[in-house]
Amino acid sequence: MLKSMVCLVGAFVFALSSYAQDTFNQYFTNASLRVDYILAGNADTATAYLYALKKEPFWGGSKSNLLDTFRYGHYFLKVYDQASGKLLYSRGYSDLFREWQTTSEAKKLKRAFSESVLLPFPKSTVKLEIYKRNRNEKFNR
């Protein structure tokens, strides 16, 4: 009985991972899209400037856990399929600029930091949105 229960659970997990893998293969290639941008400002302000998109040869992230359910970090990235509007990928993250904003130097000076985020390389046109956590711990565009 225990053996058959373990086999059933194993088959279920395999089926779920196959479904997730199919979803990855439907929308993404095994490469990465690197989004390079500059974050500039001081302790109270931040402005983002996109400066490069680059295709990297490999995707090193998960092919099954494409949607972030934890929502950790100061920023949150969402990637939508342009045609259908379906959410394909999401990930929370933090950056060095936000850490610098908490220093005494940030109260006196403005600085700019180069930042990058990676996502699986899409097979078709996508819409990328980056959200920032506000003082109430909610994400805003």
Side-chain angles (χ1 to χ4, degrees), residues 36-140:
D36 297 331
Y37 62 98
I38 301 284
L39 274 174
N42 57 24
D44 300 315
T45 64
T47 305
Y49 303 95
L50 178 67
Y51 73 88
L53 299 172
K54 182 169 182 352
K55 184 176 184 178
E56 299 286 348
F58 303 104
W59 171 246
S62 176
K63 294 181 181 179
S64 57
N65 296 317
L66 299 176
L67 301 179
D68 185 339
T69 57
F70 294 113
R71 301 176 64 86
Y72 292 145
H74 191 71
Y75 294 96
F76 199 76
L77 168 79
K78 290 183 177 182
V79 178
Y80 295 91
D81 178 55
Q82 184 72 35
S84 68
K86 179 181 178 179
L87 179 62
L88 304 178
Y89 179 80
S90 65
R91 194 67 54 222
Y93 66 99
S94 293
D95 65 344
L96 190 57
F97 179 77
R98 178 66 187 134
E99 186 175 329
W100 173 79
Q101 282 185 301
T102 65
T103 67
S104 58
E105 180 184 58
K107 293 176 183 167
K108 303 175 216 162
L109 300 172
K110 290 184 178 182
R111 295 263 189 234
F113 287 71
S114 175
E115 304 286 348
S116 297
V117 292
L118 289 174
L119 55 131
F121 198 87
K123 288 184 174 179
S124 60
T125 305
V126 295
K127 179 172 82 169
L128 171 75
E129 295 178 351
I130 298 179
Y131 295 80
K132 180 182 172 191
R133 205 178 281 278
N134 66 20
R135 289 193 167 119
N136 297 323
E137 297 299 317
K138 304 289 184 206
F139 285 109
N140 294 329

